[in-house]
DNA sequence: TTATTAAAGGACTGAGAAGTCTTTTTTTTG
DNA sequence: CAAAAAAAAGACTTCTCAGTCCTTTAATAA
């Protein structure tokens, strides 16, 4: 549905939103470890998001990524568009080069409305909205560790991701 | 949204549905040309669909692919599942390894319902339903040729795809 | 029964997404 | 100022999906 990259991006932004403010920044390594995302790959994604103005960054000791209060107002779709390019969700489900009711494919009227609603949602929900969800009991942004992984964690407590 | 492969698969099945019956079969080349899909790649997809029991095939002169009357009853989701593997549309939008209301991600309740409706549609719509749409005026399964492409067609009328 | 036709099968290539690593730049702090 | 910390930058690898090509098998028709 969404590319792995935009999944990483969404989860990271929410993690940063939850764990940072202007005086408490989070580093790539911290995010990577918490969400089990390859560290150096994540670094690239976060850079894109920072360049795109969706998150903030600062270098040096005590530096890292954080969200400013305005950043909570961005719609989730903006995150997806920055990493996956725009319009990735507006295309014809069958891959035709136009999608319109004037030149529809055979499933346009069947599935179009749902796809549009989905897109609409992603355009309306802000980072703040999603963060609120995340703060609810039993809402997660990271996978639970399997028994195996827990053992691994204990065995090599300082392992890099 | 859907992989390119399942887009090819859906369009091909509909094309075959429209243009074949037990005595008038269509070949890979014919489908590839009509839908502008790479011929040898399409061949693989059609083989999968045939093995999966969604379309029929026969070898030799006059052979090709066709649909039996029962084949019109298959849901579109079956086509997607055969080429992309099962459950490709049931996964968590953020890539968590479970998707459930008991262990939801922060956008589960926002977008889940629409995704479920989408999946529901694809499970209900049959090849026959989509074919009926296709027979409507102005419903298409192939891209219009651009001016450039038309010229190419004329210049090299027997070009392989 | 032989030639022809079309799918079946399998080996290979290419492009793009995902992942890794090293070096450079910027900032803080002692 | 020097050392350390962290992002920024960029080169490189790996993997998966998409695409190509060639050979084999099966069916038909002359
Ligand atoms: S034309 Fe295919 S989804 Fe709109
Ligand atoms: S848990 Fe993420 S969509 Fe259901």
């Amino acid at each position: 549905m969404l590319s792995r990259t935009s999944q990483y991006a969404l989860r990271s932004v929410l993690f940063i939103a939850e764990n940072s403010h202007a005086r408490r920044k989070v580093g790539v390594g911290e995010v990577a470890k918490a969400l089990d995302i390859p560290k150096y790959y994540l670094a690239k994604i976060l850079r894109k998001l920072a360049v795109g103005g969706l998150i903030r960054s600062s270098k040096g000791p005590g530096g890292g990524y954080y969200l400013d209060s305005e950043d909570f107002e961005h719609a989730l779709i903006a995150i997806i568009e920055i990493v996956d390019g725009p319009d990735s969700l507006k295309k014809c489900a069958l891959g035709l080069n136009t999608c319109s009711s004037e030149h529809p494919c055979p499933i346009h009227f069947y599935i179009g409305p749902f796809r549009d609603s989905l897109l609409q949602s992603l355009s309306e929900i802000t980072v703040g909205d999603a963060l609120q969800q995340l703060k609810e009991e039993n809402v997660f942004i990271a996978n639970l560790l399997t028994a195996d992984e827990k053992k691994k964690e204990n065995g090599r407590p300082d392992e890099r991701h």
Side-chain angles (χ1 to χ4, degrees), chain A:
Chain A
M1 183 99 93
L2 296 176
S3 73
R4 188 177 304 194
T5 305
S6 53
Q7 294 177 340
Y8 287 168
L10 288 165
R11 292 169 62 210
S12 298
V13 169
L14 291 177
F15 180 84
I16 296 168
E18 194 184 23
N19 295 291
S20 79
H21 46 77
R23 269 172 190 69
R24 165 31 182 147
K25 294 156 193 170
V26 303
V28 192
E30 192 178 346
V31 181
K33 190 167 187 182
L35 303 185
D36 193 30
I37 298 173
K39 178 174 173 179
Y40 297 108
Y41 188 61
L42 180 58
K44 289 184 175 181
I45 300 172
L46 294 184
R47 205 179 326 144
K48 267 196 190 178
L49 292 171
V51 169
L54 295 185
I55 64 178
R56 321 267 166 153
S57 75
S58 70
K59 288 184 173 184
Y65 293 94
Y66 63 103
L67 260 66
D68 213 336
S69 55
E70 306 142 35
D71 300 333
F72 289 83
E73 304 308 320
H74 290 123
L76 298 187
I77 191 73
I79 297 172
I80 297 168
E81 284 179 346
I82 286 216
V83 298
D84 277 356
D87 302 327
S88 59
L89 281 167
K90 294 179 189 164
K91 295 184 181 145
C92 169
L94 294 190
L96 301 187
N97 53 27
T98 63
C99 172
S100 73
S101 298
E102 283 71 47
H103 188 286
C105 70
I107 65 173
H108 178 91
F109 295 112
Y110 280 119
I111 70 122
F114 299 121
R115 188 202 44 181
D116 292 347
S117 302
L118 208 88
L119 183 61
Q120 179 71 10
S121 285
L122 289 171
S123 313
E124 285 173 2
I125 309 167
T126 65
V127 171
D129 295 333
L131 181 59
Q132 221 169 335
Q133 280 287 307
L134 180 54
K135 284 179 173 162
E136 294 288 318
E137 197 67 34
N138 286 324
V139 174
F140 301 95
I141 202 181
N143 283 311
L144 299 161
L145 293 180
T146 63
D148 275 8
E149 285 159 348
K150 269 183 194 157
K151 222 165 84 183
K152 232 168 108 183
E153 281 290 307
N154 295 335
R156 299 183 288 171
D158 231 337
E159 190 74 15
R160 289 259 177 77
H161 288 73

